[in-house]
Amino acid sequence: MADESEQAVQAAIDGELRLLDPEVRASSARVLELLDPEFTEIGASGRWWDVESILTVTSAGSVSPESPVEVSEMSGAVLAPGVVHLTYFADNQGHRVWRSSLWRLTETGWRMYFHQGTLTS
């Protein structure tokens, strides 16, 4: 069971890191492979996002290849079979945010179902 949990958490971490990759973000098709069709986000700004609005932001180059998002303190836990909760700290050019994501296992693999960012100093 521990191996299954560790594999689930690692799959979610891998997906999260891919979503932060500027090359992945530049491709709507690649982003869509990682987002659940029911995806929603409460951004650090307090704004509510869905799949369509997130694709607009990611395709606009919100993360520069020259200044990738720096991630630290990432950890995950299996909440139920097929559901992983990740938390981590992200720094995007001095914009520091605590992030939290829910990933769920679908027929096509692990997909981000919910994401929230909270500004920090």
Side-chain angles (χ1 to χ4, degrees):
M1 181 73 142
D3 284 342
E4 284 181 38
S5 293
E6 289 171 11
Q7 289 175 355
V9 169
Q10 189 59 55
I13 289 171
D14 291 345
E16 190 83 38
L17 294 174
R18 283 196 312 271
L19 280 171
L20 293 171
D21 182 314
E23 288 184 27
V24 171
R25 294 173 73 86
S27 166
S28 293
R30 291 175 73 185
V31 171
L32 283 173
E33 290 173 0
L34 296 166
L35 295 182
D36 192 277
E38 298 177 28
F39 168 83
T40 58
E41 175 176 338
I42 301 170
S45 65
R47 181 176 173 187
W48 181 85
W49 304 83
D50 61 8
V51 173
E52 285 184 35
S53 57
I54 283 295
L55 287 176
T56 300
V57 170
T58 58
S59 64
S62 59
V63 175
S64 166
E66 293 80 30
S67 301
V69 175
E70 294 179 29
V71 174
S72 61
E73 300 182 43
M74 186 174 283
S75 64
V78 174
L79 300 180
V83 180
V84 172
H85 179 226
L86 296 180
T87 58
Y88 63 98
F89 181 76
D91 187 321
N92 185 9
Q93 300 179 23
H95 185 77
R96 299 160 45 97
V97 180
W98 279 110
R99 300 213 171 261
S100 175
S101 300
L102 290 176
W103 286 77
R104 69 178 176 181
L105 185 58
T106 69
E107 291 178 3
T108 59
W110 286 94
R111 292 179 166 220
M112 183 186 285
Y113 175 75
F114 177 78
H115 188 78
Q116 181 168 357
T118 304
L119 288 176
T120 185
S121 53

